[in-house]
Amino acid sequence: METLTGTDALTTSLDRAQEDYAALVARGLSLDLTRGKPSAEQLDLSAELLRLPADRHTTRDGMDTRNYAGDGGMGLRELREIFAPLLQVPADQLLASGNSSLALIHDCLVQALLNGVPGGTSRWLDEERVVFLCPVPGFDRHFALCERFGIDMVAVPMTEEGPDMDIVERLVAEDPAVKGMWCVPKYSNPDGVTYSDRTVQRLARMRTAAPDFRIFWDDAYAVHHLTEEQVEVGDILGACTRHGNPDRALVFGSTSKITHPGAGVAFFGSSPVNVEWKLDYNNGRSIGPDKLNQLRHAQFLKSADGVLAHMARHRALLRPKFEAVQRILQRELGGTGLAEWTDPKGGYFITLRVPDGCAKAVVRQCAEAGVRLTPAGAAHPRGDDPNDNLIRIAPTYAGRTDLDEAIRAVTVCVRLIGHRKQLEEQR
Ligand code: PLP
């Protein structure tokens, strides 16, 4: 009798979800929540950049940014000074280079493979095997780089404090093939986790079998607060130095989600030895960075406080969107036992956890109703989520009406797939 009642209730819930889904399909939606891009309104916050540097093309010490050279290949000092405290890298150890931190990360991997890194005894290409630890869920493009270059990936689960450090410490100590590790230390993509001080200290201190082990510290969301609380993460370069591993961490960041992703400035920071290593590569690759763009960024952002004030304007646009997603998820899925979701204090994503084995089906069902989501599994190496239960929601780009509609569509698909699975399990 007990089971029958449960089955009846489930059948009713499934019928309702099927009706809602049919209504959804009838609406003929065409919505896209795939990637974490700023909205047009966010881009407009930096509209002044398009009018800078006007005719003021010299730096504060008189360098003509239109020409080659003058910056030693490091990028403009005034811009590096603005971002040094935000990325926790001394300005003398911070390069401003290109427009994409992912490109800098790519170049570091290529350089490590072709030339090796300081402290190594051979270039990575000559190693029998190169392994990177991949905290999961993580950033799909990090994993894609590993795939591209034949780097093996070992998934490490994330906890509320960052990657599971017991596992990390064991793997790096055991195997000299483990040469690197991905870290998105603040408001991680996609879980929104910020590494605890304890995690930062352990990463800096741990014994690694490889003498040339590197942490790729991708601080992509360093200033992307969604609440009044400005969450801070420990200073990885300082901690590595204190623990006698000064060359361990490579820090990356960019203005992609501060100003204009298509025309921003990227940063690389590390120990003086690693900065020399990177400069050597950069100087062979290009006579110098786009100093005019760096100057207009320095003129526009003015100071570290100027960056934070600018990010508060982003927050004013983003927070209502993130709150709307929370509201709709709670209203439609709260108490169903079908989903859990993150409520991040910063960054660009919300992670929706559905019953095991359902994420791909939900994403497929959404696509059939005209709502595109990031492919399920994308946050895992090789796109393979063994539990098939994670969906990444990117609320930033869509307008409010589209966003509300898309999230409601997602909840209908979660109910449809989830109840179907519950019913199958009862039979
Ligand atoms: N790193 C992370 C963790 C990201 O989420 C992103 C963009 O989504 C990037 C890097 C890309 O940064 P950039 O535009 O500077 O290449």
Side-chain angles (χ1 to χ4, degrees):
M1 193 63 202
E2 184 78 38
T3 316
L4 249 187
T5 310
T7 306
D8 284 349
L10 269 182
T11 307
T12 309
S13 299
L14 181 58
D15 287 348
R16 208 173 300 137
Q18 266 160 346
E19 278 164 28
D20 290 348
Y21 187 72
L24 195 65
V25 171
R27 293 176 67 82
L29 299 176
S30 176
L31 303 169
D32 187 346
L33 290 188
T34 48
R35 293 225 75 94
K37 293 198 298 188
S39 65
E41 292 74 28
Q42 286 178 268
L43 301 180
D44 287 346
L45 295 174
S46 302
E48 195 190 336
L49 271 180
L50 304 180
R51 295 184 285 277
L52 292 170
D55 55 358
R56 291 176 297 142
H57 47 73
T58 51
T59 62
R60 66 180 177 212
D61 21 321
M63 184 210 308
D64 187 339
T65 57
R66 297 169 305 176
N67 214 333
Y68 278 143
D71 65 332
M74 304 249 327
L76 290 203
R77 176 135 202 122
E78 47 253 70
L79 186 65
R80 293 188 286 113
E81 284 177 357
I82 292 173
F83 278 88
L86 302 171
L87 293 170
Q88 302 182 86
V89 179
D92 287 337
Q93 292 166 227
L94 188 65
L95 307 183
S97 175
N99 76 317
S100 157
S101 58
L102 194 68
L104 291 177
I105 290 170
H106 168 280
D107 287 357
C108 283
L109 278 180
V110 170
Q111 193 181 353
L113 286 161
L114 295 181
N115 304 126
V117 302
T121 50
S122 63
R123 54 190 205 144
W124 288 6
L125 209 54
D126 293 332
E127 304 280 350
E128 211 170 288
R129 191 165 162 254
V130 174
V131 177
F132 264 52
L133 303 188
C134 303
V136 290
F139 180 38
D140 53 353
R141 289 182 187 268
H142 287 162
F143 306 153
L145 285 176
C146 284
E147 275 198 81
R148 174 176 291 264
F149 295 121
I151 295 172
D152 287 346
M153 292 178 270
V154 174
V156 174
M158 283 288 282
T159 72
E160 284 178 7
E161 289 193 57
D164 185 325
M165 284 308 298
D166 291 341
I167 298 177
V168 170
E169 283 168 346
R170 182 172 52 73
L171 291 171
V172 296
E174 253 169 22
D175 187 355
V178 179
K179 296 285 193 188
M181 172 173 179
W182 298 112
C183 291
V184 181
K186 196 192 279 190
Y187 306 138
S188 68
N189 175 353
D191 255 4
V193 169
T194 297
Y195 291 17
S196 69
D197 283 342
R198 213 152 52 109
T199 298
V200 174
Q201 295 305 320
R202 287 175 78 174
L203 284 167
R205 192 177 56 219
M206 66 192 181
R207 198 184 67 74
T208 64
D212 50 352
F213 174 83
R214 291 292 184 276
I215 293 172
F216 283 65
W217 192 257
D218 183 355
D219 209 356
Y221 300 102
V223 289
H224 301 61
H225 312 292
L226 285 169
T227 72
E228 301 304 316
E229 182 188 348
Q230 311 226 329
V231 173
E232 292 306 335
V233 71
D235 162 18
I236 188 70
L237 285 187
C240 286
T241 302
R242 269 194 308 284
H243 289 294
N245 300 307
D247 301 328
R248 177 168 291 181
L250 310 176
V251 176
F252 303 91
S254 79
T255 65
S256 284
K257 288 158 185 172
I258 298 173
T259 57
H260 294 156
V265 180
F267 299 94
F268 167 90
S270 192
S271 65
V273 169
N274 285 333
V275 168
E276 275 308 311
W277 170 82
K278 185 82 186 84
L279 262 181
D280 181 49
Y281 184 87
N282 283 6
N283 291 342
R285 182 179 170 278
S286 157
I287 301 177
D290 179 348
K291 297 191 295 287
L292 259 178
N293 192 35
Q294 297 187 7
L295 182 63
R296 71 167 66 95
H297 273 78
Q299 290 171 348
F300 174 60
L301 294 167
K302 296 186 176 65
S303 65
D305 282 342
V307 174
L308 294 175
H310 185 68
M311 294 314 289
R313 292 188 276 277
H314 279 278
R315 177 158 70 247
L317 294 172
L318 289 179
R319 195 154 161 188
K321 292 188 179 181
F322 277 75
E323 285 174 351
V325 175
Q326 296 294 327
R327 247 192 331 271
I328 298 168
L329 291 177
Q330 184 57 41
R331 189 184 67 218
E332 303 292 329
L333 296 175
T336 62
L338 289 176
E340 289 172 8
W341 54 91
T342 55
D343 185 6
K345 291 185 173 173
Y348 257 53
F349 303 102
I350 290 170
T351 302
L352 181 65
R353 229 169 272 264
V354 295
D356 286 358
C358 289
K360 279 200 174 78
V362 169
V363 171
R364 208 177 312 119
Q365 203 78 46
C366 282
E368 282 168 21
V371 178
R372 289 180 53 219
L373 298 171
T374 310
H380 287 70
R382 292 168 291 277
D384 178 23
D385 171 4
N387 297 320
D388 185 27
N389 66 1
L390 281 191
I391 294 172
R392 188 181 82 164
I393 295 177
T396 55
Y397 184 72
R400 264 304 298 282
T401 313
D402 283 358
L403 178 65
D404 289 9
E405 187 117 58
I407 299 301
R408 215 189 79 78
V410 172
T411 65
V412 170
C413 295
V414 170
R415 282 166 41 226
L416 183 66
I417 301 295
H419 288 317
R420 212 178 263 161
K421 178 163 193 262
Q422 286 174 327
L423 209 54
E424 276 162 15
E425 282 170 355
Q426 285 223 350
R427 283 186 177 139

